[in-house]
Amino acid sequence: MDSIRKQASKLRDQVAKQQQALLRQLGQISNEPLMTHESELQCQHKLENLYTSTKAAKHFQRHIVRGIQGFISVSSKQMEIVRKLAKDCCNYGIENQGSGFPLARASDQLGNSYEILENERETLLGILGQQISEPLRAQITGAPLEDARHLTQRYEKLRHEVEAQAAEVLRRRSKLRGSSVSAESSMKLQNAETRLKELKSALVALGREATAAMLSVEEQQQQLNFQSLCTMVDAERAYHGHALVILEKVYAEMTEEKQPKESSSYPLSRDGYDQTADDNSNLNGFDQKHTSQTGSSFFAKVIHPFDAQADGELNLSVDDYVVVCQVDPNGWSEGECKGNAGWFPSAYIQRQDLIQASKIVE
């Protein structure tokens, strides 16, 4: 469509030049009334370029809006799925928090983290919709753009009228050249020339108004489109930055739950423990084969702090002394410290064969 308009514009320019050449050959009148000034041609070409550029910017805005709408639609469905998974994880963690295994706490931590992640994604979608999509949609259908395009269309229509009126003046002047000039014909020619002058004056004024309006719209489009892209990138950066912090935190928490329990959980042999478990026990200063589940009690020193996170667990601080009642094969021990009893990781203590009397009293 744009190529057709350009071809039509070139054809009109050629016709105008041919009309001017014909008038010069007639030699009866001044060229001034029918001449197309260079400024008018420049105005015409500038409006055509502005019309094309604002149209391209409008299409680009539509592409952005459609892309954001699709992204919001797909992301909303994903949020429903992830939030359902987060809820299931939290429910499992709550229902099994007294099991003593790290899975329950890890499940609860993961569920809470996923819920926070989806809240961050919801914020991102809100920014994309409210700060990008809505302003673009408003400008696409807004009055400034439509008014400027309407002025340009009026300019094109008036320019066609000027060309038609110039042809009418040319016809009347050619007719008077070959016959006796009557008062009526002279009056009609004079009226046609006056009308042509009025149309050309209106065309110049309308061209200035349309050009100013189109330039203003073009600048607004460029600014809003650039601002929209910047806002989109900033929102994405903020979302992924927050997501990374959340994931790093839950990863650290799950790793902390995993490490001590894995270090003291070993497969059993026919005798109750394999050699790897024996080596680990010796490193901690006691032999688990003699204290497994129903073994005798012994004293142990805390070498790693432990914060109880479920009922039945025992808080430990470094250098505390614990009376260990039993050591379970799953890597947990039961004991008493400072009047409190509960379970704690076996790898967090070290057996003490000789301790100070004051510690025994405590």
Side-chain angles (χ1 to χ4, degrees), residues 284 286 300-303 316 324 344-351:
N284 285 335
F286 62 90
K301 182 178 180 181
V302 178
I303 59 175
L316 299 178
V324 181
F344 49 86
S346 301
Y348 284 25
I349 60 173
Q350 186 177 43
R351 180 167 180 162

Side-chain angles (χ1 to χ4, degrees), residues 226-253:
F226 184 78
Q227 180 182 353
S228 298
L229 296 182
C230 291
T231 302
M232 188 184 305
V233 172
D234 289 341
E236 287 277 359
R237 288 179 67 250
Y239 165 71
H240 291 293
H242 295 162
L244 179 60
V245 172
I246 295 169
L247 293 174
E248 288 290 350
K249 180 180 177 182
V250 70
Y251 177 77
E253 292 174 347

Side-chain angles (χ1 to χ4, degrees), residues 14-47:
Q14 293 175 359
V15 172
K17 292 178 180 179
Q18 291 176 358
Q19 290 176 347
Q20 295 171 18
L22 180 59
L23 288 175
R24 293 189 185 96
Q25 292 178 1
L26 293 175
Q28 291 188 359
I29 57 173
S30 170
N31 293 330
E32 182 62 26
L34 299 182
M35 288 286 290
T36 301
H37 295 288
E38 185 66 24
S39 59
E40 295 178 14
L41 292 176
Q42 291 178 356
C43 180
Q44 173 191 344
H45 295 154
K46 190 169 187 177
L47 280 174

Side-chain angles (χ1 to χ4, degrees), residues 55 105 247 287 326:
K55 182 180 179 180
R105 285 189 295 273
L247 293 174
D287 188 351
Q326 64 171 320

Side-chain angles (χ1 to χ4, degrees), residues 133-265:
S133 181
E134 291 182 5
L136 288 176
R137 190 184 296 110
Q139 190 175 76
I140 291 173
T141 60
L145 176 60
E146 294 302 319
D147 291 345
R149 292 165 67 90
H150 182 63
L151 286 174
T152 303
Q153 294 168 357
R154 282 177 54 195
Y155 176 84
E156 285 293 320
K157 184 178 179 180
L158 183 58
R159 195 165 69 85
H160 294 163
E161 292 181 14
V162 170
E163 292 175 354
Q165 188 64 27
E168 175 66 15
V169 171
L170 177 60
R171 186 183 66 81
R172 291 190 177 279
R173 289 178 178 177
S174 301
K175 186 176 181 181
L176 290 177
R177 184 173 181 272
S179 61
S180 58
V181 179
S182 63
E184 183 181 0
S185 298
S186 179
M187 180 60 67
K188 289 182 178 181
L189 175 60
Q190 183 178 356
N191 291 338
E193 291 175 343
T194 302
R195 175 60 177 165
L196 177 61
K197 186 179 294 184
E198 292 174 353
L199 290 175
K200 293 188 71 174
S201 177
L203 181 66
V204 172
L206 184 58
R208 292 173 181 171
E209 183 181 1
T211 301
M214 292 294 285
L215 285 172
S216 177
V217 167
E218 184 184 48
E219 183 178 2
Q220 292 175 10
Q221 285 180 326
Q222 294 295 321
Q223 290 180 351
L224 181 58
N225 291 353
F226 184 78
Q227 180 182 353
S228 298
L229 296 182
C230 291
T231 302
M232 188 184 305
V233 172
D234 289 341
E236 287 277 359
R237 288 179 67 250
Y239 165 71
H240 291 293
H242 295 162
L244 179 60
V245 172
I246 295 169
L247 293 174
E248 288 290 350
K249 180 180 177 182
V250 70
Y251 177 77
E253 292 174 347
M254 294 176 69
T255 302
E256 184 178 356
E257 290 289 336
K258 176 182 178 182
Q259 290 297 338
K261 297 169 181 56
E262 284 190 346
S263 64
S264 57
S265 297

